[in-house]
Amino acid sequence: MDKDPEARISDMATSSQKIPLGHTLSTGHISTVPTPITSAQPVRVVTHNHGDSTTELTIVPLTVAGSCQTMATSNAQKIQYRSLNEAIHDDMSQPDFDPRILEFEPISHSGSAKSVPSAPLLIPLHRSAVYTDSPSKPPPSYSLRTRSALLGKQPLASGFEIPYWRKIFFHTALCLVSYPILLAVMLVARNKSIFWTRFIVGVGCGLVGLGLGYSLLTLAKSHLEAATWATVIHQSRFDDSPGVRLKDLAATTENSTSAWTALRLLWNRTMHPATARRSRQDYDQRPWSLFIAFFLLLVLVAGTLPFILGRLINIDSNLIHQRERYEEISIKGDNSDTDIARASRLKPTFEDFALTWTMAPFSTHGGLPPVVSFSWGSDNIYFSETIMSQLLANGSGFGTFDTETTDPSLNLSPSVSFDNGPEEVLPGSVLRFSKWGIRIRCAKLPDPDVNLVPMSSNGMSYLFTPRAVLASLFSSFGVDYPESSMVPFDIAKVVQPGDAISTALNMSDIALGAAFYNNGVGHSFFSRPVSMGADGKGWISIEEVLVRLNTSYTPNGTFARKSDQSIPDAQGNPTWIGYDAAICVELFEPWIVEVYNSTTGLPSTLRIVEPGNVVRSQDTPEIQEELIGLPLSVTDPDVHQQLNSSKLADVYESAHGNSVNQILKDNGRDAYYVPSPTVVSYTEGEGPLGYMELSAPYFAQARGLADASNILPYFSGTGDILARQYQDLVLSNTSINPLFMGIYLGLIFLLGLLAGFFVPRLPLNVPHRGFEVYSWIAAFHADELMEIGGMSGIEKNLELHEIAQQVGDVRFRYIDTNMRKESKI
């Protein structure tokens, strides 16, 4: 009865019998080949049972270093093998046996005097399954099916490699966390300067793109490796010039994630006849160029990831007005001595009622700055808007009183520079300075039957203002009643001789009186200055208006009094003249305002800071204002630090006369007491026949707007005044487009899955090979790549370029199992 395999191996290893020749163990007998072997040379016999036959292999070492020669014979032929790997792969009865589970290790039998200590022993790589000499434990079986079960299976198609699950899971995790990371980057980058926002977004998108790109390239690398090895196999089976040069192989494998490498490989496959579909149609029909193109797509997507992610995060800029850091500059916000002198020369012109002169003709009146108003307490404060010319070093306001030009913007040109030297007024900044503003309050004339005389015998109309009305108006402003109004009223200075007044009029109660000619004008004005600005704090004036309109033009009108006699109209129907009057107190005061000097438009007033003529810090517990640089009083002491009205009496009188005359010019005609748009604006009505009833608040608004437009612009000429400049902060606001970002990350995830699941298997079922060290060990140590024509030895300490020059032209050919068998037959 035959011994079991382990016993036979043990007997041969410990036998003292000399083996005169090298032996090849075959089924049922031992054959010899002419290779002398002595007992000094260790012998290892491996027995395999399959079916009813037994195959025994003898491995005979050739050198002390451990290289061996294995020989086997069958009943038909004898084949000599160079390694155990070849011998076992050639054993067609064991197609699932994987020789990689075996390795040599010295064997020792301490209990036998005839043992060979240096004899090699085959053991599995996994130490948990070590062979033993016990006959009761048969050798473990390790097949490719077992390996496939351990590594996983291809779940989608059999023509592709087993998926790299760890890489796929890593790519999936990166895609899942990318959006939250980008959201965090977006939140961190908000409310910072544009530079830092772009920097943070760039770094965040770069890191996320780097991670996703690395994951994509890691998955894509297998496609380039498979295409490269497939090219080597294809060229190895080409009959005319088989194999590939070492330098071509080295150039292709230098960078496994380079698009240039893929393009070079694609070019080589296009130009080499061995890779054509017709040359390999009997063993490989796969479109390898398509896999290379897919690799190029992945490289392109990976390279553009940071850029695309950065474009999907929107960065908008917000201008933030800050009040913490400021510079002191000068602007044109006051009248110079030259301006005052010109105003003085124009004063007699505006006092001549016959001329009714205005500073600007109607053709240029639209060029005057607009009027802005702000609420302060229970009052509306009216201002004239700052113009761009006031912010230029060589500019001016309207208050030059130059009769040749009434609109300084006419002299502006695109070539005007905004560079004001060390006191540059920068666009995109808030300016804080003092400015003249208007407050006005009005009241209807009480007891019109006593205080209003419609028509005297001399053709005059008279108004008498009670002292109580004025006292009430001054008190509403918190201003003391002027002593000048306490002087007893002298009626002889107002009423012409022969004109009768109401006997009910109490002269001790009257503060003012005014006489108006019967000139046919729908509205007439009387002004009396109370303060001419000698105290430097501004001007106060009393303004009265008398409305006289023909009732044929006011079908819905209501009047305080009507004329005693009717006037026939064009059809002969009787009409009357309606009378009404109002009294106002108007204050011209300095206010601290903030004006925004825009980068894209004209300056605009933002708000009132406080009443007064001195610019000061508005410190709070949260904000402490800080001056940047030197104060203007040091760098330019000639600049006015505050507004002062003490020298501007002539300027006020000229500008005030200009405003009244501008209002008077808006008449239907100078006869028949026809209404005008200005008169209608004193009521709630509108349209040519829309006059209703004189309203004190409406008249106060109309007069305030008119004076702000026709008086206030002329308080700013060529005089410089101090202003604080608060430069804007340009902060960013970031947002993510969720739809496009989700689509893009989903595309990256899908490309990663395609790259991970569909790595093509190599032709002829060759195991996967890459560009890493283990693949090259398998290629050269297991004789998968064999040089053609031999390669001379390489000396030590050679430079890399010397090695490339010496062996670069050596051709290598991939030898698979079938090719190796055919070559040995």
Side-chain angles (χ1 to χ4, degrees):
M1 186 175 184
D2 292 340
K3 297 182 180 180
D4 61 40
E6 290 294 333
R8 294 171 59 192
I9 293 174
S10 178
D11 290 345
M12 295 182 63
T14 58
S15 175
S16 59
Q17 178 184 354
K18 287 188 177 181
I19 304 175
L21 295 174
H23 288 74
T24 298
L25 302 183
S26 60
T27 305
H29 68 276
I30 297 178
S31 302
T32 61
V33 293
T35 302
I37 299 178
T38 65
S39 60
Q41 294 176 310
V43 178
R44 182 63 171 161
V45 179
V46 180
T47 304
H48 295 290
N49 297 319
H50 32 261
D52 297 331
S53 63
T54 300
T55 300
E56 298 176 353
L57 302 177
T58 300
I59 301 130
V60 181
L62 299 179
T63 64
V64 178
S67 63
C68 62
Q69 182 177 356
T70 303
M71 291 149 287
T73 60
S74 66
N75 294 331
Q77 58 183 349
K78 297 180 180 179
I79 304 176
Q80 184 170 336
Y81 296 95
R82 299 176 51 174
S83 67
L84 174 63
N85 197 357
E86 285 190 29
I88 297 177
H89 267 301
D90 194 33
D91 189 0
M92 294 295 103
S93 62
Q94 296 289 328
D96 295 334
F97 183 74
D98 190 347
R100 289 174 291 180
I101 66 172
L102 302 178
E103 67 180 7
F104 291 107
E105 191 171 279
I107 184 171
S108 175
H109 293 276
S110 58
S112 176
K114 299 180 180 180
S115 63
V116 183
S118 59
L121 174 64
L122 294 175
I123 66 171
L125 288 175
H126 299 282
R127 297 296 178 180
S128 61
V130 177
Y131 282 107
T132 65
D133 291 336
S134 173
S136 62
K137 295 182 180 180
S141 62
Y142 191 91
S143 66
L144 292 178
R145 295 188 184 92
T146 306
R147 177 173 172 268
S148 298
L150 292 176
L151 296 180
K153 296 181 179 180
Q154 170 56 254
L156 301 177
S158 59
F160 297 93
E161 294 285 349
I162 297 172
Y164 293 88
W165 294 108
R166 182 178 299 178
K167 296 179 181 179
I168 294 175
F169 292 153
F170 177 72
H171 181 74
T172 303
L174 281 180
C175 291
L176 291 177
V177 303
S178 293
Y179 194 87
I181 292 176
L182 292 175
L183 281 178
V185 170
M186 178 194 70
L187 295 176
V188 172
R190 278 183 177 175
N191 296 326
K192 292 181 174 57
S193 65
I194 294 295
F195 170 81
W196 286 112
T197 297
R198 288 176 176 171
F199 177 79
I200 294 172
V201 170
V203 171
C205 293
L207 292 177
V208 173
L210 179 64
L212 291 174
Y214 170 78
S215 177
L216 273 182
L217 291 178
T218 302
L219 292 168
K221 181 178 66 172
S222 298
H223 291 260
L224 181 63
E225 293 173 342
T228 301
W229 282 98
T231 303
V232 172
I233 294 173
H234 295 159
Q235 294 183 7
S236 298
R237 298 179 65 88
F238 189 58
D239 295 334
D240 293 343
S241 179
V244 59
R245 291 184 303 177
L246 183 59
K247 62 180 181 182
D248 295 334
L249 183 61
T252 306
T253 59
E254 277 181 356
N255 191 345
S256 59
T257 58
S258 171
W260 173 248
T261 300
L263 291 173
R264 180 187 180 113
L265 179 62
L266 188 61
W267 173 259
N268 291 339
R269 290 191 60 85
T270 303
M271 302 305 295
H272 202 287
T275 58
R277 188 74 62 90
R278 62 179 179 273
S279 300
R280 51 184 174 90
Q281 59 183 353
D282 56 339
Y283 67 96
D284 187 13
Q285 292 289 331
R286 275 169 291 189
W288 290 98
S289 297
L290 183 61
F291 293 113
I292 299 175
F294 180 64
F295 171 83
L296 289 172
L297 173 64
L298 294 178
V299 171
L300 176 63
V301 172
T304 57
L305 267 168
F307 176 80
I308 300 298
L309 292 176
R311 301 291 76 75
L312 293 178
I313 295 183
N314 301 320
I315 300 178
D316 300 320
S317 61
N318 295 328
L319 291 177
I320 305 298
H321 302 323
Q322 58 89 20
R323 305 293 194 281
E324 297 182 10
R325 298 166 61 86
Y326 67 90
E327 298 175 274
E328 290 189 350
I329 61 172
S330 64
I331 64 172
K332 305 300 180 180
D334 204 353
N335 296 102
S336 65
D337 293 340
T338 303
D339 302 334
I340 297 173
R342 289 189 183 133
S344 299
R345 291 194 294 268
L346 285 173
K347 180 180 175 182
T349 303
F350 289 104
E351 291 176 347
D352 188 350
F353 179 76
L355 290 175
T356 315
W357 189 256
T358 56
M359 201 80 67
F362 278 124
S363 60
T364 61
H365 191 264
L368 291 171
V371 176
V372 292
S373 65
F374 297 92
S375 296
W376 187 264
S378 58
D379 294 315
N380 283 331
I381 317 300
Y382 299 93
F383 298 96
S384 174
E385 187 61 272
T386 304
I387 61 175
M388 182 67 72
S389 179
Q390 293 179 246
L391 307 182
L392 302 179
N394 56 349
S396 69
F398 281 84
T400 60
F401 294 93
D402 186 354
T403 57
E404 295 181 0
T405 173
T406 56
D407 187 357
S409 64
L410 297 178
N411 295 329
L412 297 181
S413 65
S415 62
V416 173
S417 172
F418 285 90
D419 187 5
N420 293 351
E423 301 168 4
E424 181 181 2
V425 182
L426 298 175
S429 59
V430 174
L431 305 176
R432 183 185 296 174
F433 57 95
S434 56
K435 194 172 188 178
W436 295 108
I438 293 176
R439 285 195 294 167
I440 184 172
R441 289 189 179 183
C442 301
K444 290 285 293 290
L445 180 71
D447 198 1
D449 292 336
V450 176
N451 297 321
L452 191 155
V453 177
M455 183 73 67
S456 68
S457 57
N458 291 322
M460 301 293 290
S461 297
Y462 295 101
L463 287 180
F464 300 100
T465 304
R467 188 173 282 109
V469 176
L470 293 179
S472 175
L473 290 175
F474 277 99
S475 176
S476 67
F477 286 123
V479 178
D480 295 335
Y481 188 75
E483 295 181 1
S484 60
S485 298
M486 300 296 292
V487 178
F489 175 64
D490 187 358
I491 193 172
K493 294 182 178 180
V494 177
V495 179
Q496 293 185 5
D499 287 343
I501 60 174
S502 174
T503 58
L505 186 66
N506 186 355
M507 295 302 162
S508 62
D509 295 335
I510 301 302
L512 295 174
F516 300 91
Y517 291 100
N518 185 18
N519 55 9
V521 177
H523 56 166
S524 302
F525 298 96
F526 172 78
S527 300
R528 179 180 176 181
V530 176
S531 171
M532 290 301 292
D535 59 357
K537 297 180 180 179
W539 304 267
I540 301 176
S541 68
I542 298 173
E543 307 290 339
E544 294 183 341
V545 61
L546 175 63
V547 175
R548 293 175 288 186
L549 294 175
N550 192 304
T551 57
S552 62
Y553 301 107
T554 59
N556 299 317
T558 301
F559 298 94
R561 287 195 66 176
K562 291 184 179 180
S563 60
D564 297 331
Q565 296 180 352
S566 64
I567 303 174
D569 59 11
Q571 287 77 27
N573 297 322
T575 61
W576 287 264
I577 304 299
Y579 295 84
D580 213 339
I583 304 99
C584 304
V585 173
E586 189 174 25
L587 279 66
F588 294 81
E589 305 166 302
W591 296 81
I592 305 301
V593 299
E594 287 183 347
V595 174
Y596 182 61
N597 184 24
S598 174
T599 58
T600 58
L602 298 174
S604 58
T605 304
L606 297 178
R607 67 183 183 113
I608 296 174
V609 179
E610 60 179 346
N613 59 356
V614 178
V615 182
R616 61 178 185 170
S617 298
Q618 304 294 315
D619 293 335
T620 64
E622 294 80 16
I623 299 177
Q624 301 293 322
E625 296 191 16
E626 176 186 359
L627 172 64
I628 302 174
L630 296 175
L632 197 60
S633 59
V634 175
T635 59
D636 194 350
D638 294 334
V639 175
H640 299 167
Q641 298 292 310
Q642 61 187 31
L643 291 178
N644 191 314
S645 62
S646 60
K647 296 185 190 180
L648 303 180
D650 292 341
V651 173
Y652 169 76
E653 288 193 45
S654 297
H656 183 274
N658 172 71
S659 180
V660 172
N661 292 340
Q662 285 284 7
I663 299 173
L664 288 175
K665 285 184 176 180
D666 185 17
N667 287 302
R669 58 192 300 176
D670 290 340
Y672 307 118
Y673 297 111
V674 177
S676 67
T678 300
V679 174
V680 175
S681 69
Y682 302 160
T683 73
E684 296 180 356
E686 59 183 14
L689 304 178
Y691 183 91
M692 298 180 69
E693 181 181 6
L694 178 64
S695 168
Y698 277 97
F699 175 70
Q701 178 182 0
R703 183 60 188 267
L705 291 172
D707 288 348
S709 177
N710 298 302
I711 296 178
L712 295 184
Y714 299 100
F715 287 143
S716 299
T718 58
D720 292 324
I721 191 172
L722 169 71
R724 289 187 178 185
Q725 178 175 252
Y726 300 83
Q727 188 67 28
D728 283 346
L729 296 177
V730 182
L731 301 182
S732 64
N733 182 33
T734 56
S735 62
I736 291 180
N737 190 318
L739 176 62
F740 291 155
M741 183 65 76
I743 293 175
Y744 187 65
L745 291 178
L747 177 63
I748 300 303
F749 174 68
L750 179 61
L751 288 175
L753 292 185
L754 293 176
F757 279 107
F758 297 101
V759 178
R761 291 186 62 84
L762 295 180
L764 306 174
N765 284 329
V766 173
H768 178 73
R769 293 292 181 262
F771 299 155
E772 69 279 356
V773 174
Y774 298 109
S775 294
W776 297 122
I777 292 177
F780 292 108
H781 186 70
D783 296 334
E784 293 179 349
L785 283 181
M786 299 181 63
E787 68 273 12
I788 301 174
M791 180 174 63
S792 60
I794 300 176
E795 300 176 0
K796 290 184 178 181
N797 300 324
L798 289 178
E799 296 292 341
L800 290 179
H801 69 275
E802 296 175 339
I803 298 176
Q805 184 177 5
Q806 183 173 343
V807 300
D809 291 326
V810 175
R811 303 185 70 87
F812 283 83
R813 183 181 184 186
Y814 189 88
I815 305 297
D816 65 348
T817 303
N818 295 330
M819 295 171 62
R820 186 179 294 112
K821 287 171 56 179
E822 294 171 0
S823 64
K824 296 182 185 310
I825 293 174

